[in-house]
């Protein structure tokens, strides 16, 4: 069996999300990766991809059409390469989620999104109902197209391999959509839903002023800032900070809950985080029941100390 | 002033519970060509219904005699029933239940999900042409020239500070020649109508209970469909009215709940924790082992009975169901009485409509002549006996009243105090010690509220308002230590900084619309208003 | 411009679903059903395009059980002109739905199809892309802003770490993300009027499309509950654990 993994190649580097998708493919036989990009970035991206461990070959497709991850040319390319593969995977990122279902339809295959476990070559586990249930599905399609829930697979290292690079000629197709511009929020804080790290505050922050001590910590971690509903209702922070059942549902790699008691409504919004840290003065707070690491004490001492310790 | 659209109907009904739906159906039977509009604040019919429920099919038999052929969700017949008097560790089964508590005999009754029954009733009503609009709260009552002329639905899209948001949609006037208020216990418009027309003059104060309920799925081997258990005594002290129920129904489902009389005196009492800890009693606990909790909800109910019934009609309409207070407390049933009251009111409205009379005042005579009055009359002395003499002597009186006097005592016991007058100062009362939730049989309040599926659009005015915020600290806090944080079964009320500068926090989003705060607040300073339509709990099927 | 808006009837987002004990699915008996929230946003966007003069005909379509007609009525009450119910016994997979929609697109000839980015029940996030693939139309997923231009559409999309703006030629497929708009309330008079708007019913079986499921559900389970971790003694210990054990910083 052979799998093809579509990589997101941003600025010539291979992000962690794509490396998680490669990890997911590991049980599915030999792995080729597909790197696409504009003429000016493709070389660097291909070189980065070639260093990934466990890759049979790197296939590249360059051109203006691929410079911005547009779904139409990507899907057409995947369809063209599909006869050579049993499984085609991508990380469940904006690009993977846009291109793979489109390609799957062209191949008359039912896409399987957000795969969090691969039982065997045709059996997959994925979340439904916002993660409140997990289904195990068996695909009867001759070929499987999957997007990978990246938090469920530890990424392969960025280096260690030396795979050959092979350019493919993309199929020609009429331009259907055109990239105009991108607005990156990189200078500001990341969006809550997209953040890899979230620092979140609750009633224990005591005031809008108190809440501000989370900012240096978030800066240090490149984290988004969230809040519990109590903190929002008390006016410490605006509404769109709210994490929880009625706010945003998040699943970062690291969630640091400061002064949050852990009402179930809040837990419903962040329980899928990979690692949860709780800082609370009440050692009976329910948040400790879900936290991987807990610190009992005054957050007004702990948070600055933690910030300082991350120097 | 916002310009409001107007819609005209012959009859407007507020509330889609058993009373409102039975009234709607009866109206269509009597006046098939007239328009009947029913509004319901819940997101769908049944979304706000909480009841035990064991129901007596008497009213339904009269309303829709062929209900069984219409797939009505009355499928679990009561097969066995037991009543226990509890002490902390022991339970005494009341012998010869049918003789000493004949009102409790449940032969021929059904264990149901009242929410499901209401969904079914609504389908029957819609098929007959009743226009039913869930998700629309009746926020105001139109009173013109001394006559109720309809209601105004709530504005939608109002922001927290009261401004018109981007999606603002003004409420509408729903005008009717007659308006029936079927809002259930302590209806917010019923309250205004009662005040405006002075409907409570000369009657006893209403007294209430707070019912808190859970639905569980239990292992099949412990499930006995149709088994009905009730308890009184522990954990209540002798001066506090209350008890638990446990009904087996459906597919491995049990309905468990606890009613606390809201005339309780100790401000430290927490109806929620009483309900939780009663599950740990050996009579109940085995049923919960290995089960899982599915749904949680709470609702106040009117316990006053006949003596507390207000005048029922006014120019332009009537009060029906538990909004008026038709519950039969000793029988622990209000569905058949609510439905019957709705049907009688519908008949009175039809008569008034035909005669072009402003007030459907034959409702009172029709009630007098009906089994509903007989039933409430026979039960009238039991609840006040408990209020007056406590649980042990009250129960004894109840036995005598039922078994010997057969409800025909030549005297009537009265309620002396409204429930907001009964609290004693916190300093004079011992706080009960409640066990910590164990996470398998007993649970904390917020994880319970989660199972009510309650939700309110975030950016809207707080629907629980203090008339005078300055009153809270000197009265609620200084004297009673904020009883609202304990009686509220949804964690709406919290005290911030209790050790330094105590302030009341109102988490209105958690509200499950039980109305207890509106009832029990000692200075009657909390007013419950309708939030944006569709808000509140979303009780699923089985509740 | 004519807009087709496919919508789905799903378990209401306020309802906590629970997996049946036997793992055969989630409990749906007596559970409140509503329009998929992202589809509501799609309907709203179509209405706003019409209000701006960019569209003149809005057709909503749903594939599913007969009760999906109620969901279509909600869309009609919001302001859609016409509804089509493609009746099927259960909810088909996105690929089958996309094939059904393709047939409807060929009949109705819309210039634009707007639909929710995903349904909140199966969270597949696929129907729009799959329909775009079958039709070979341009697509813009996760839209947070849609503008009609002289020769097509300008769509801003939410992507990882920011947003990007695309121009599309018509006909095209757009999938709606949360921030695209806030849907309006359906007013009482409009709910009444919606009862009289046209709603056609087609049997899915009559379309000659193979609806066979490609994915067989072997089991369904609730996710494992998190277990309490360890309480640490110091900040230094926490930093050490995060670096070397959890490897998240």
């Amino acid at each position: 069996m052979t799998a093809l993994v579509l990589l997101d190649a941003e600025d010539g580097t291979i992000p962690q999300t794509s490396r998680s998708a490669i990890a997911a493919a590991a049980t599915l036989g030999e792995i080729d990766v597909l790197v696409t990009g504009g003429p000016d970035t493709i070389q660097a991206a291909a070189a980065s991809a070639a260093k990934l461990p466990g890759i049979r070959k790197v296939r590249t497709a360059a051109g203006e059409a691929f410079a911005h991850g547009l779904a139409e040319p990507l899907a057409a390319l995947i369809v063209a390469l599909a006869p050579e593969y049993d499984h085609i995977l991508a990380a469940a990122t904006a690009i993977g989620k846009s291109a793979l279902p489109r390609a799957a339809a062209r191949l008359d295959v039912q896409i399987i999104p957000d795969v969090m476990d691969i039982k065997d070559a045709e059996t997959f586990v994925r979340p439904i109902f916002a993660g409140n249930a997990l289904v195990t599905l068996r695909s009867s399609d001759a070929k499987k197209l999957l997007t990978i829930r990246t938090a469920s697979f530890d990424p392969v290292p960025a280096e260690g391999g030396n795979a050959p690079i092979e350019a493919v000629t993309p199929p020609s197709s009429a331009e259907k959509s055109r990239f105009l511009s991108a607005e990156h929020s990189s200078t500001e804080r990341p969006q809550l839903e997209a953040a890899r790290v979230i620092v979140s505050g609750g009633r224990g922050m005591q005031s809008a002023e108190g809440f501000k001590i989370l900012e240096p910590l978030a800066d240090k971690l490149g984290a988004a800032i969230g809040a519990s509903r109590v903190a929002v209702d008390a006016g410490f922070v605006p509404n769109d900070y709210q994490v929880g059942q009625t706010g945003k549902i998040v699943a970062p790699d690291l969630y640091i809950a400061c002064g949050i008691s852990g009402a179930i409504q809040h837990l419903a919004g962040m329980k899928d985080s990979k690692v949860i840290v709780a800082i609370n003065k009440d050692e009976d707070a329910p948040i400790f029941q879900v936290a991987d690491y807990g610190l009992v004490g005054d957050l007004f001492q702990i948070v600055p100390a933690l910030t300082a310790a991350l120097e | 002033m916002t310009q409001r659209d107007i819609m005209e109907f012959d009859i407007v009904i507020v509330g889609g519970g058993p009373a409102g739906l039975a009234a709607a159906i009866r109206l269509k039977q009597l006046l098939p060509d007239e328009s009947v509009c029913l509004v319901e604040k819940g997101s769908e019919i049944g979304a706000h219904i909480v009841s035990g429920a064991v129901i007596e099919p008497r009213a339904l038999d009269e309303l829709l005699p062929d209900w069984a052929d219409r797939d009505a969700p009355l499928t679990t017949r009561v097969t066995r029933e037991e009543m226990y008097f509890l002490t902390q560790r022991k339970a005494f089964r009341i012998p010869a239940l049918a003789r000493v508590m004949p009102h409790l005999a449940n032969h021929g009754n059904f264990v149901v999900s009242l929410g499901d029954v209401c969904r079914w009733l609504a389908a029957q009503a819609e098929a007959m042409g009743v226009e039913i609009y869930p998700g629309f709260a009746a926020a105001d009552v139109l009173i013109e020239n001394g006559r109720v002329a309809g209601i105004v639905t709530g504005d939608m899209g109002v922001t927290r500070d009261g401004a018109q948001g981007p999606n603002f949609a003004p409420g509408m006037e729903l005008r009717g020649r007659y308006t029936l208020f079927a809002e259930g216990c302590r209806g917010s418009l019923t309250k205004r109508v009662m005040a405006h027309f002075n409907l409570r003059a000369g009657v006893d104060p209403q007294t209430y209970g707070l019912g808190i309920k859970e639905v569980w799925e239990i292992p099949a081997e412990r499930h006995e469909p149709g088994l009905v258990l009730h308890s009184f005594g522990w954990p209540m002290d002798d001066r506090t009215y209350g008890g638990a129920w446990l009904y087996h129904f459906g597919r491995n489902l049990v309905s468990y709940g606890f009613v606390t009389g809201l005339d309780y005196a100790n401000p430290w009492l927490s109806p929620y924790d009483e309900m939780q800890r009663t599950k740990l009693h050996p009579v109940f606990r085995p049923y919960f082992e290995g089960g899982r909790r599915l749904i949680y909800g709470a609702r106040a109910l009117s316990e006053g009975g006949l003596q507390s019934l207000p005048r029922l009609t006014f120019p332009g309409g009537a009060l029906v169901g538990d909004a008026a207070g038709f519950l039969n407390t000793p029988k622990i049933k209000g569905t058949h009485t609510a439905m019957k009251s709705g049907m009688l009111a519908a008949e009175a409205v039809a008569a008034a409509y035909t005669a072009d009379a402003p007030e459907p005042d034959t409702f009172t005579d029709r009630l007098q002549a009906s089994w509903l009055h007989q039933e409430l009359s026979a039960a009238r002395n039991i609840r006040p006996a408990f209020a007056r003499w406590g649980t042990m002597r009250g129960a004894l009186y109840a036995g005598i009243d039922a078994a010997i006097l057969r409800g025909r005592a030549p005297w009537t016991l009265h309620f002396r105090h409204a429930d907001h007058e009964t609290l004693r100062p916190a300093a004079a009362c011992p706080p009960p010690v409640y066990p910590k939730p164990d996470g398998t049989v007993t649970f904390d309040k917020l994880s319970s509220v989660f199972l009510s599926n309650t939700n309110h659009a975030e950016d809207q005015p707080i629907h629980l308002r203090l008339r005078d915020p300055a009153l809270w600290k000197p009265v609620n806090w200084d004297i009673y230590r904020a009883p609202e944080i304990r009686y509220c079964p949804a964690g709406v009320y919290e005290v911030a900084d209790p050790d330094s500068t105590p302030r009341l926090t109102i988490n209105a989003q958690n509200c499950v619309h039980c109305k207890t705060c509106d009832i029990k607040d000692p200075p009657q300073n909390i007013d419950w208003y309708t939030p944006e339509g569709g808000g509140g709990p979303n009780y699923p099927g089985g509740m | 411009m004519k807009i087709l808006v496919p919508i789905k009837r799903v378990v209401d987002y306020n309802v906590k679903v629970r997996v049946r004990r036997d793992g055969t699915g989630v409990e749906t008996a007596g559970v409140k059903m509503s329009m998929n929230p992202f589809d509501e946003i799609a309907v709203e966007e179509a209405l706003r395009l019409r209000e701006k003069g960019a569209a003149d005909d809005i057709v909503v379509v749903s594939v599913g059980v007969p009760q999906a007609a109620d969901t279509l009525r909600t869309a009609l009450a919001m302001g859609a002109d016409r509804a089509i119910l493609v009746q099927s016994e259960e909810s088909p997979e996105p690929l089958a739905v996309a094939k059904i929609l393709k047939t409807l697109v060929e009949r109705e000839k819309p210039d634009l199809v707007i639909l929710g980015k995903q349904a909140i029940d199966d969270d597949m996030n696929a129907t729009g892309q799959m329909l775009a693939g079958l039709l070979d139309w341009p697509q813009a997923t996760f839209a947070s802003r849609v503008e009609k231009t002289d020769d097509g559409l300008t769509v801003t999309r939410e992507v990882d770490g920011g947003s990007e703006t695309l121009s599309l030629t018509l006909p095209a497929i757009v999938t709606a993300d949360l921030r695209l708009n806030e849907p309006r309330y359906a007013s009482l008079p409009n709910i009444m009027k919606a009862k009289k708007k046209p709603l056609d019913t087609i049997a899915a079986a009559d379309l000659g499309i193979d609806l066979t499921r490609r994915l067989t559900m072997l089991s369904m389970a609730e996710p494992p509950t998190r277990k309490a971790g360890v309480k640490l003694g110091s900040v230094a210990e926490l930093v050490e654990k995060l670096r070397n054990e959890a490897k998240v910083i």
Side-chain angles (χ1 to χ4, degrees):
Chain A
M1 285 191 307
T2 320
L4 178 69
V5 182
L6 170 68
L7 304 184
D8 290 1
E10 303 160 349
D11 325 320
T13 62
I14 309 301
Q16 192 181 343
T17 49
S18 290
R19 290 188 281 116
S20 289
I22 294 171
T27 57
L28 298 172
E30 292 194 285
I31 301 172
D32 288 354
V33 296
L34 175 60
V35 179
T36 60
D40 46 338
T41 61
I42 191 73
Q43 300 296 342
S48 300
K51 286 188 211 147
L52 296 167
I55 305 298
R56 185 177 70 171
K57 67 180 171 198
V58 176
R59 312 189 74 174
T60 64
E64 270 312 315
F66 296 110
H68 302 289
L70 292 177
E72 297 87 348
L74 261 182
L77 175 63
I78 291 166
V79 170
L81 296 175
E84 301 170 47
Y85 298 97
D86 305 294
H87 293 85
I88 300 172
L89 297 80
T93 57
I95 290 176
K97 287 191 286 189
S98 296
L100 245 61
R102 184 179 176 105
R106 305 289 296 174
L107 294 166
D108 196 30
V109 166
Q110 176 55 58
I111 178 87
I112 307 172
D114 292 313
V115 169
M116 51 193 295
D117 192 13
I118 296 177
K119 297 284 187 194
D120 60 44
E122 54 193 26
T123 313
F124 310 94
V125 180
R126 65 177 301 270
I128 58 172
F129 287 103
N132 287 308
L134 307 180
V135 281
T136 305
L137 300 167
R138 186 161 60 215
S139 166
S140 62
D141 282 320
K143 205 177 288 299
K144 329 292 185 205
L145 274 76
L146 322 170
T147 63
I148 300 300
R149 192 171 181 267
T150 54
S152 303
F153 297 89
D154 286 331
V156 297
E159 312 221 343
N162 186 16
I165 299 172
E166 169 199 294
V168 296
T169 311
S172 63
S173 60
E175 179 190 86
K176 296 188 184 304
S177 63
R178 197 154 43 85
F179 175 83
L180 297 179
S181 64
E183 303 84 39
H184 285 287
S185 47
S186 53
T187 51
E188 301 163 26
R189 259 178 225 303
Q191 301 246 353
L192 263 176
E193 295 100 319
R196 208 184 61 77
V197 180
I198 294 173
V199 176
S200 204
R203 184 206 306 279
M205 306 312 300
Q206 291 183 4
S207 63
E209 209 49 43
F211 214 95
K212 292 207 169 73
I213 70 155
L214 299 184
E215 287 173 10
L217 177 60
D219 290 342
K220 197 70 57 82
L221 291 165
I225 295 186
S228 70
R229 196 176 85 196
V230 192
V232 169
D233 283 354
F236 300 171
V237 285
N239 221 358
D240 57 352
Y241 278 53
Q242 188 184 320
V243 171
Q245 180 207 350
T246 54
K248 299 191 168 81
I249 311 248
V250 299
D253 288 348
L254 174 60
Y255 189 92
I256 304 181
C258 306
I260 291 177
S261 66
I264 193 158
Q265 287 86 343
H266 186 74
L267 302 185
M270 45 66 83
K271 64 175 165 38
D272 292 334
S273 306
K274 202 161 165 193
V275 174
I276 297 175
V277 171
I279 301 170
N280 204 299
K281 67 177 180 204
D282 173 12
E283 61 176 325
D284 289 331
I287 190 79
F288 287 117
Q289 290 163 20
V290 300
D292 300 279
Y293 305 112
L295 278 175
V296 179
D298 180 4
L299 66 91
F300 289 99
Q301 288 170 7
I302 293 173
V303 170
L306 179 58
T307 311
L310 292 169
E311 287 297 349
Chain B
M1 268 293 284
T2 311
Q3 189 64 39
R4 298 191 183 281
D5 286 343
I6 296 171
M7 289 172 75
E8 310 251 4
F9 299 92
D10 294 307
I11 295 111
V12 172
I13 300 175
V14 182
L21 290 165
I25 290 171
R26 184 56 115 205
L27 279 164
K28 273 289 173 187
Q29 289 169 340
L30 297 168
L31 302 169
D33 299 328
E34 318 309 327
S35 58
V36 179
C37 170
L38 185 153
V39 288
E40 160 61 42
K41 69 180 164 55
S43 64
E44 62 169 355
I45 296 293
H48 288 184
I49 297 290
V50 183
S51 183
V54 173
I55 69 170
E56 189 176 299
R58 188 170 188 178
L60 184 58
D61 286 339
E62 294 177 8
L63 183 66
L64 298 168
D66 60 343
W67 56 265
D69 302 330
R70 300 182 185 216
D71 288 328
L74 284 72
T75 50
T76 308
R77 278 182 187 279
V78 175
T79 52
R80 188 159 76 86
E81 62 183 318
E82 290 176 352
M83 163 72 83
Y84 289 94
F85 175 76
L86 304 184
T87 64
Q88 187 159 5
R89 285 186 190 81
K90 291 199 172 120
F92 302 92
R93 194 153 65 83
I94 307 300
L97 191 62
R99 213 162 50 241
V100 296
M101 296 185 176
H103 45 274
L104 268 173
N106 275 312
H107 182 75
N109 293 342
F110 293 83
V111 184
V112 301
S113 152
L114 189 59
D116 289 349
V117 171
C118 287
R119 287 182 185 93
W120 173 83
L121 279 172
Q124 311 308 309
E126 278 195 309
M128 297 170 79
V130 177
E131 296 185 49
I132 297 183
Y133 298 106
F136 290 91
D140 207 353
V141 54
L142 292 169
I143 301 175
E144 292 167 0
N145 306 320
R147 174 174 180 165
V148 170
I151 56 101
V152 184
T153 63
D155 295 340
M156 311 283 266
V158 179
T159 62
R160 173 64 62 98
D161 55 11
Q164 299 184 357
N167 279 353
F168 176 75
M172 296 187 58
E173 289 186 4
L174 302 185
R175 291 177 164 270
R177 291 177 63 180
Y178 302 94
T179 305
L180 295 179
F181 293 88
E183 296 175 283
C185 173
R186 198 72 170 195
S188 46
L189 296 189
T190 302
K191 189 170 147 181
R192 280 181 236 176
V193 170
M194 282 194 206
H196 187 271
F197 293 101
N198 201 19
L199 301 181
R200 298 208 66 86
V203 303
D204 286 5
Q206 185 58 271
T207 186
Y208 301 89
L210 170 59
I212 308 181
K213 170 175 170 177
E214 294 179 345
V215 176
W216 285 64
E217 184 182 43
I218 67 168
E221 61 273 18
R222 275 195 278 277
H223 193 256
E224 184 185 333
L227 174 60
V228 166
L229 302 181
H230 288 110
S231 77
F232 65 107
W234 185 87
M236 294 291 157
D237 63 30
D238 192 60
R239 301 300 312 174
T240 312
Y241 189 75
W245 78 78
L246 183 88
Y247 306 151
H248 294 231
F249 72 109
R251 213 174 67 185
N252 299 329
L253 298 179
V254 299
S255 157
Y256 166 81
F258 195 96
V259 175
T260 301
L262 286 178
D263 56 349
Y264 70 83
N266 184 344
W268 299 106
L269 185 140
S270 161
Y272 176 83
D273 291 291
E274 301 295 349
M275 181 265 195
Q276 291 296 330
R277 71 165 161 176
T278 305
K279 279 187 280 184
L280 298 173
H281 194 280
V283 162
F284 296 113
R285 180 168 191 142
Y287 294 111
F288 299 111
E289 304 277 0
R292 64 170 174 169
R293 195 167 67 136
L294 308 179
I295 317 170
Y296 170 87
R299 186 72 172 93
L301 42 117
S302 308
E303 292 188 339
L306 200 64
Q307 299 88 308
S308 301
L309 273 186
R311 199 177 102 212
L312 297 169
T313 62
F314 43 83
L319 308 177
V320 298
D322 214 26
F326 277 103
L327 188 108
N328 182 338
T329 305
K331 209 172 194 173
I332 333 179
K333 283 180 192 61
T335 304
H336 68 295
T337 55
M339 289 179 69
K340 181 67 177 176
S341 74
M343 291 154 65
L344 292 169
E347 287 157 18
V349 164
Y353 185 91
T354 313
D356 201 19
E359 183 163 342
D361 50 12
T362 62
F363 182 17
T364 313
D365 299 333
R366 290 168 197 271
L367 171 64
Q368 289 282 346
S370 74
W371 54 257
L372 175 55
H373 187 271
Q374 261 178 11
E375 186 183 315
L376 293 179
S377 177
R380 74 188 184 284
N381 282 330
I382 294 180
R383 177 66 180 91
F386 280 85
R388 193 169 291 201
W389 297 312
T391 302
M392 292 301 281
R393 287 185 294 159
L396 190 63
Y397 174 86
I400 295 169
D401 190 288
I404 300 168
L405 303 170
R406 295 178 189 282
R408 274 172 273 172
W411 59 82
T412 292
L413 301 175
H414 288 280
F415 297 100
R416 293 158 171 168
H417 303 288
D419 294 345
H420 66 270
E421 300 168 326
T422 57
L423 284 184
R424 300 173 57 213
C429 298
V433 180
Y434 296 114
K436 275 192 178 181
D438 61 21
T440 55
V441 174
T442 59
F443 300 90
D444 66 276
K445 211 182 254 184
L446 284 180
S447 67
S448 302
V449 176
F450 189 68
L451 293 179
S452 72
N453 299 327
T454 192
N455 188 35
H456 295 85
E458 302 232 345
D459 193 12
Q460 64 172 305
I462 295 194
H463 71 277
L464 299 149
R465 298 175 206 157
L466 298 186
R467 285 184 201 176
D468 177 5
L471 218 52
W472 181 79
K473 170 74 170 57
V475 180
N476 292 50
W477 178 256
D478 290 346
I479 304 177
Y480 303 107
R481 278 295 180 272
E484 55 277 4
I485 66 178
R486 291 175 289 276
Y487 63 60
C488 173
V492 168
Y493 299 97
E494 284 183 287
V495 175
D497 300 323
D499 304 324
S500 48
T501 48
R503 296 179 314 278
L504 184 68
T505 308
I506 302 179
N507 304 310
Q509 272 220 331
N510 285 2
C511 180
V512 296
H513 297 199
C514 78
K515 315 284 179 75
T516 302
C517 51
D518 195 284
I519 294 166
K520 187 67 177 168
D521 183 49
Q524 288 289 278
N525 195 27
I526 301 176
D527 277 315
W528 191 99
Y529 288 86
T530 46
E532 187 170 286
N538 286 282
Y539 298 131
M543 185 61 165
Chain C
M1 183 166 76
K2 180 171 178 176
I3 305 179
L4 187 73
V5 188
I7 63 177
K8 186 175 182 185
R9 174 178 181 266
V10 298
V11 172
D12 186 85
Y13 77 103
N14 284 315
V15 174
K16 268 60 131 198
V17 296
R18 67 173 193 272
V19 177
R20 284 194 211 110
R21 278 203 172 210
D22 57 9
T24 56
V26 298
E27 193 54 70
T28 51
V31 168
K32 178 170 190 260
M33 306 295 283
S34 301
M35 195 192 309
N36 178 39
F38 292 108
D39 298 342
E40 222 176 312
I41 294 170
V43 172
E44 175 68 31
E45 196 61 23
L47 298 175
R48 290 188 186 189
L49 284 167
R50 189 178 63 189
E51 282 158 7
K52 284 182 215 155
D56 47 19
D57 191 12
I58 299 171
V59 181
V60 288
V61 53
S62 190
V63 179
V65 293
Q67 295 90 321
D70 297 341
T71 312
L72 288 166
R73 292 281 176 211
T74 305
L76 293 172
M78 287 173 73
D81 298 300
R82 196 153 63 77
I84 303 169
L85 171 62
V86 181
Q87 205 172 303
S88 68
E89 284 187 9
E90 53 175 339
S91 175
E93 287 171 349
L95 178 62
V97 173
K99 287 178 181 175
I100 290 169
L101 293 176
K102 177 172 183 267
T103 309
L104 290 181
V105 164
E106 283 157 0
R107 285 187 192 180
E108 294 287 332
K109 303 200 170 21
D111 306 283
L112 174 62
V113 178
I114 309 183
L115 62 174
K117 69 166 180 176
Q118 71 192 69
I120 61 166
D121 51 3
D122 59 16
D123 286 334
M124 288 292 268
N125 188 342
T127 305
Q129 297 91 308
M130 295 192 106
L131 177 61
L134 293 179
L135 291 165
D136 202 18
W137 284 10
Q139 69 179 55
T141 48
F142 318 133
S144 61
R145 198 162 143 263
V146 177
E147 292 286 323
K148 174 82 175 69
T149 56
D150 291 341
D151 53 351
L153 289 180
T154 303
V155 180
T156 302
R157 318 170 50 218
E158 307 219 348
V159 295
D160 306 317
S163 60
E164 66 175 33
T165 303
L166 305 180
S167 87
L168 308 181
T169 57
L170 291 176
I173 309 280
V174 171
T175 76
D177 212 327
L178 196 61
R179 271 177 283 274
L180 181 57
N181 60 53
E182 198 181 320
R184 69 195 59 195
Y185 300 98
S187 72
L188 265 182
N190 287 344
I191 292 173
M192 290 180 190
K193 278 182 217 149
K195 291 181 181 171
K196 299 191 183 78
K197 287 187 180 177
L199 191 158
D200 297 328
T201 303
I202 305 171
D206 293 349
L207 294 174
I209 293 166
D210 179 14
L211 302 176
T212 313
R213 298 187 88 79
R214 308 293 181 82
L215 306 178
T216 311
M217 193 184 82
L218 302 182
S219 65
M220 188 187 291
E222 288 186 352
T225 48
R226 281 189 95 98
K227 292 200 174 61
V230 288
K231 287 198 180 124
L232 306 173
S234 70
V235 167
E237 208 182 331
L238 175 63
V239 172
E240 193 273 324
K241 294 273 190 197
L242 291 178
R243 282 213 170 106
N244 302 321
E245 190 176 83
K247 298 192 176 102
V248 285
I249 57 171

